Amino acid sequence: MVSLPSLKTLELHEVKYSKDETLQRLLSNCPLLEDLVVYLRERDTTTRNLTVVVVPSLQRLTLYIPNNYELYEYVIDTPSLKYFELVDYNYYDHYGLIENMPYLIEAYVDSSCPGIYSLIYSVTSVKRLTICSEAILNCLVFNELEHLEVCLCTVLFSNQLVRLLKACSNLKRLDISLMDDHDPHQDMDDWNEPSTVPECLLSSLQSLSWSKYTREPQERDIMGYILKHAVYLKTATIKSSESDVQKLEMIKELALSSRASKTCQLMFE
């Protein structure tokens, strides 16, 4: 295999591996690689494992797993990694593990896999997390997390937002948005107000941003709950594509809502 001693960026698209170790053999010949992007091939039905092991120089890793790629597991060991992005649309349950990432700062996780818990547990030391996941995320602790961006799919699914907020005791910024091609109301559950208030709402949250706010009943309940309990909230920004008349109703409704922070500024876009 050809050696690539000076290569720092590598993008692999529509990849199909003849053997499980093919990728690792390639990476072993790139000693200075810093940025790796791997898009696995659609409709590759050969079940396999995927391993990215001990790439000491790697700082950014993006992994895309399509919904019909049959994968047993993937294991990643990248000790210098600072940014990790996983888009995993494979509904078949498979195992994912990230090891030895003491410098990881930011993670982006968009996953349909119900067994994603072990992987998310591996990134609990990040400072910024963007996430959309159908997995039930109980018993996680993100002690270092300051900035959380949650897809509306996750917010409206089984009180997932409350689970995440309870795991982030030092959270300063919360962004609620919608990832590309996602439908937030496809699996919407009833909102159940929790019996206890997440610590971050009482002690650290300063910024809230909600994109594509539609004023659906569940959205109103969640927004009202945050405003009611976020003691140190400085700004709440609501972004909506609704008509001017509907926006005016939103403004009136939220302006009259109960707010724990008397200095919180409501902004509408």
Side-chain angles (χ1 to χ4, degrees):
M1 185 171 288
V2 177
S3 178
L4 302 167
S6 60
L7 188 69
K8 291 188 176 182
T9 300
L10 177 61
E11 291 193 15
L12 303 172
H13 291 264
E14 291 292 305
V15 177
K16 181 177 181 178
Y17 299 110
S18 59
K19 297 180 180 179
D20 292 341
E21 65 270 17
T22 303
L23 176 60
Q24 186 55 39
R25 288 179 59 198
L26 172 62
L27 297 178
S28 66
N29 287 280
C30 307
L32 297 181
L33 188 65
E34 295 180 356
D35 189 350
L36 173 64
V37 179
V38 180
Y39 284 80
L40 298 178
R41 184 176 179 178
E42 297 275 359
R43 296 175 296 280
D44 185 352
T45 58
T46 304
T47 305
R48 64 184 78 251
N49 298 332
L50 179 68
T51 306
V52 181
V53 177
V54 190
V55 186
S57 59
L58 199 65
Q59 297 185 28
R60 295 177 63 89
L61 173 61
T62 299
L63 176 60
Y64 177 87
I65 305 172
N67 60 10
N68 51 8
Y69 189 94
E70 296 190 18
L71 185 70
Y72 279 140
E73 69 175 24
Y74 51 89
V75 178
I76 298 166
D77 188 347
T78 49
S80 298
L81 204 67
K82 296 179 180 179
Y83 174 85
F84 176 62
E85 178 175 340
L86 172 69
V87 179
D88 184 356
Y89 292 151
N90 192 324
Y91 288 95
Y92 296 102
D93 201 1
H94 50 271
Y95 179 73
L97 177 64
I98 306 176
E99 298 179 320
N100 191 24
M101 294 192 307
Y103 303 110
L104 190 68
I105 297 173
E106 183 174 353
Y108 177 106
V109 179
D110 179 8
S111 176
S112 303
C113 176
I116 198 69
Y117 181 90
S118 60
L119 184 140
I120 297 178
Y121 183 81
S122 302
V123 301
T124 52
S125 63
V126 294
K127 292 186 177 296
R128 174 170 180 170
L129 173 65
T130 302
I131 187 169
C132 183
S133 174
E134 296 179 4
I136 302 302
L137 305 177
N138 288 324
C139 303
L140 292 173
V141 178
F142 295 90
N143 284 328
E144 304 297 323
L145 194 67
E146 296 180 355
H147 184 180
L148 174 64
E149 183 170 357
V150 186
C151 181
L152 275 168
C153 299
T154 296
V155 170
L156 302 177
F157 177 73
S158 299
N159 274 19
Q160 193 76 288
L161 177 62
V162 174
R163 293 187 180 91
L164 286 168
L165 291 179
K166 286 183 176 180
C168 308
S169 59
N170 295 307
L171 190 68
K172 293 181 173 60
R173 177 176 173 180
L174 172 63
D175 294 341
I176 298 173
S177 60
L178 185 63
M179 292 182 178
D180 293 341
D181 301 321
H182 285 215
D183 180 3
H185 303 298
Q186 182 176 358
D187 297 311
M188 183 186 294
D189 294 336
D190 292 333
W191 161 255
N192 296 312
E193 185 168 321
S195 57
T196 58
V197 180
E199 177 63 27
C200 65
L201 296 185
L202 300 175
S203 63
S204 62
L205 189 68
Q206 299 177 15
S207 173
L208 168 66
S209 176
W210 191 312
S211 299
K212 299 187 182 296
Y213 184 76
T214 63
R215 202 166 161 255
E216 291 283 338
Q218 191 182 40
E219 292 186 9
R220 293 204 310 266
D221 290 344
I222 296 172
M223 177 66 79
Y225 175 81
I226 296 174
L227 293 177
K228 180 181 177 180
H229 294 289
V231 176
Y232 295 99
L233 195 65
K234 295 179 180 179
T235 59
T237 303
I238 294 88
K239 304 175 183 179
S240 175
S241 58
E242 303 295 325
S243 67
D244 291 341
V245 173
Q246 289 173 312
K247 282 185 179 179
L248 182 59
E249 291 300 316
M250 291 180 191
I251 293 171
K252 290 179 180 179
E253 184 176 75
L254 292 173
L256 294 173
S257 62
S258 175
R259 275 177 275 171
S261 172
K262 303 304 180 184
T263 59
C264 175
Q265 293 184 332
L266 289 176
M267 295 182 287
F268 298 85
E269 298 179 4

